[in-house]
């Protein structure tokens, strides 16, 4: 496996890539061996046992328990290996380490926009530190896109009506391609970007020197909290008003009016802002107005970022 990739795979630049590549090569090699065995056997038998003259009658063939067992057991074992290995990897790729650096990704026809926790924004270029897990929280302003970085072996759909996320831990500095991997209209094939992996100190310098919004997402969320009068019904100190308090909400279980429970993640909070009637909290009435259903996705992100800080 060369520095700049192989015939089969591009260069790997994240902690996930070696394991991903091993699984890929395992499947390719096993499939090739089976293919050669089946086709080779077929050619061999059709030559050796060909009919040599018109009068020749084949011997009757009897069953062979060993071959029958093997043709059930071997494929089953191979499928189970691939399933178990793949499932373990999937779980690993899906669940970001809790200390991940979080960046918001917004997709739209036909560009990528990135929001960093300190208020920095960038378009088309995602800057990340080397050797630190980065979690991307993604949503789309219009249609379905898919965020794909081949070098990191990560790909995830980016949807207009909920958040999806991926994480990676880059193992080398440099620039790596971002592709949109879901057909999203005329300029889909031009919906490209770059991940710029920098050393921790270069990254810190970049963050400090680049264009910042006037507020960080958390500050923006805090402003919205009063500006949009969320505070008329929700407190941040734990006491209930007409609506439940935001204190200690994020990441915790919420009991709903229908008796079920749900973990308050980004998607739950987003839904509760945009469609307040969808999941009403136990003990409260469904009286939150639909005023907030038209909130810009940046504002929703900011409010969630603020709510996350209310531990
Ligand atoms: Cu965005 Cu294809």
């Amino acid at each position: 496996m060369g520095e700049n990739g192989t015939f089969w795979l591009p260069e790997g630049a994240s902690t996930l890539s070696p394991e991903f590549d091993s699984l890929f090569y395992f499947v390719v090699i096993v499939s090739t061996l089976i293919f050669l065995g089946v086709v080779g056997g077929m050619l061999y038998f059709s030559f050796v046992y060909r009919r040599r003259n018109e009068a020749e009658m084949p011997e009757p063939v009897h069953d062979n328990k060993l071959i029958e067992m093997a043709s059930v057991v071997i494929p089953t074992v191979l499928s189970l290996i691939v399933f178990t290995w793949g499932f373990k990897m999937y779980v690993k790729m899906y669940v970001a380490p809790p200390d991940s650096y979080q960046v918001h990704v917004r997709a739209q026809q036909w560009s990528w926009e990135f929001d960093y926790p300190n208020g920095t924004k960038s378009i088309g270029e995602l800057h990340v530190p080397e050797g630190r897990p980065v979690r991307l929280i993604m949503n789309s302003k219009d249609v379905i896109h898919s965020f794909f970085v081949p070098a990191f072996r990560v790909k995830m759909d980016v949807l207009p009506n909920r958040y999806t996320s991926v994480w990676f831990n880059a193992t080398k500095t440099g620039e790596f391609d971002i592709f949109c991997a879901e057909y999203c209209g005329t300029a889909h094939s031009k919906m490209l970007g770059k991940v710029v992996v920098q050393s921790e100190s270069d990254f810190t310098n970049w963050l400090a020197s680049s264009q910042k919004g006037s507020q960080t997402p958390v500050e923006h969320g805090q402003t919205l909290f009063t500006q949009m009068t969320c505070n008329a019904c929700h407190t941040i100190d734990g006491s209930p008003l007409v609506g439940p308090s935001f204190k200690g909400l994020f990441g915790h279980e919420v009991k709903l009016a229908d008796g079920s429970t749900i973990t308050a993640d980004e998607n739950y909070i987003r839904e509760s802002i945009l469609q307040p009637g969808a999941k009403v909290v136990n003990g409260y009435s469904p009286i939150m107005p639909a005023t907030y259903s038209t909130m810009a996705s940046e504002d929703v992100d900011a409010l969630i970022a603020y709510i996350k800080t209310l531990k």
Side-chain angles (χ1 to χ4, degrees):
M1 275 164 250
E3 183 63 2
N4 292 309
T6 62
F7 174 75
W8 299 100
L9 288 166
E11 111 179 88
S14 80
T15 50
L16 293 170
S17 32
E19 199 179 338
F20 178 99
D21 294 5
S22 308
L23 177 55
F24 174 80
Y25 285 117
F26 177 80
V27 172
V28 169
I29 291 167
V30 169
S31 311
T32 307
L33 291 177
I34 291 174
F35 174 80
L36 291 177
V38 169
V39 174
M42 189 179 76
L43 291 175
Y44 173 78
F45 288 125
S46 58
F47 178 76
V48 172
Y49 299 104
R50 69 191 181 279
R51 199 176 190 189
R52 286 159 212 268
N53 62 59
E54 283 295 304
E56 186 179 334
M57 294 299 285
E59 298 260 334
V61 179
H62 297 285
D63 60 339
N64 181 322
K65 289 277 183 303
L66 188 70
I67 292 179
E68 281 173 19
M69 285 302 288
S71 63
V72 171
V73 171
I74 295 174
T76 306
V77 169
L78 287 174
S79 320
L80 285 177
I81 292 175
V82 172
F83 171 77
T84 319
W85 194 345
F87 185 69
K88 277 170 80 176
M89 275 225 67
Y90 177 80
V91 170
K92 210 168 173 183
M93 291 168 95
Y94 199 76
V95 182
D99 57 338
S100 301
Y101 182 75
Q102 301 201 356
V103 179
H104 266 279
V105 180
R106 239 179 311 277
Q108 63 178 56
Q109 289 168 323
W110 287 279
S111 64
W112 301 101
E113 194 183 301
F114 306 99
D115 278 0
Y116 304 80
N118 76 334
T120 299
K121 283 182 189 298
S122 65
I123 291 173
E125 257 186 24
L126 167 63
H127 286 249
V128 297
E130 180 194 5
R132 186 147 48 119
V134 176
R135 176 172 181 241
L136 304 179
I137 304 164
M138 313 190 288
N139 78 320
S140 165
K141 285 186 174 177
D142 38 46
V143 299
I144 300 176
H145 304 271
S146 179
F147 182 88
F148 181 30
V149 183
F152 295 165
R153 312 291 190 258
V154 293
K155 178 158 81 173
M156 182 55 79
D157 281 359
V158 182
L159 309 173
N161 50 2
R162 66 177 150 112
Y163 294 108
T164 53
S165 91
V166 283
W167 78 276
F168 54 81
N169 185 342
T171 51
K172 46 179 109 165
T173 56
E175 297 194 345
F176 304 97
D177 292 318
I178 300 171
F179 295 100
C180 178
E182 182 75 49
Y183 181 69
C184 55
T186 313
H188 155 71
S189 63
K190 296 202 179 80
M191 191 167 165
L192 307 170
K194 275 206 179 335
V195 185
V196 181
V197 182
Q198 297 172 301
S199 67
E200 194 72 48
S201 59
D202 286 355
F203 176 69
T204 313
N205 289 338
W206 177 83
L207 269 186
S209 65
S210 49
Q211 189 83 43
K212 265 196 208 61
S214 50
Q215 292 176 311
T216 68
V218 172
E219 289 163 356
H220 182 45
Q222 190 170 10
T223 309
L224 287 170
F225 179 70
T226 44
Q227 210 173 62
M228 306 202 64
T229 61
C230 308
N231 59 351
C233 303
H234 301 277
T235 65
I236 57 169
D237 63 3
S239 55
L241 289 179
V242 181
S245 177
F246 289 162
K247 185 183 164 72
L249 170 62
F250 189 81
H252 290 90
E253 293 221 320
V254 176
K255 194 153 190 269
L256 301 180
D258 66 2
S260 61
T261 52
I262 189 166
T263 301
D265 59 3
E266 285 96 351
N267 276 318
Y268 164 75
I269 297 176
R270 180 181 189 281
E271 183 185 54
S272 298
I273 295 170
L274 301 179
Q275 292 162 253
K279 295 193 176 70
V280 177
V281 178
N282 189 37
Y284 294 90
S285 315
I287 51 164
M288 176 162 157
T291 335
Y292 304 96
S293 61
T294 50
M295 249 174 107
S297 68
E298 285 89 342
D299 292 347
V300 177
D301 289 352
L303 258 181
I304 295 173
Y306 173 57
I307 290 171
K308 278 183 185 174
T309 65
L310 306 171
K311 295 197 173 110

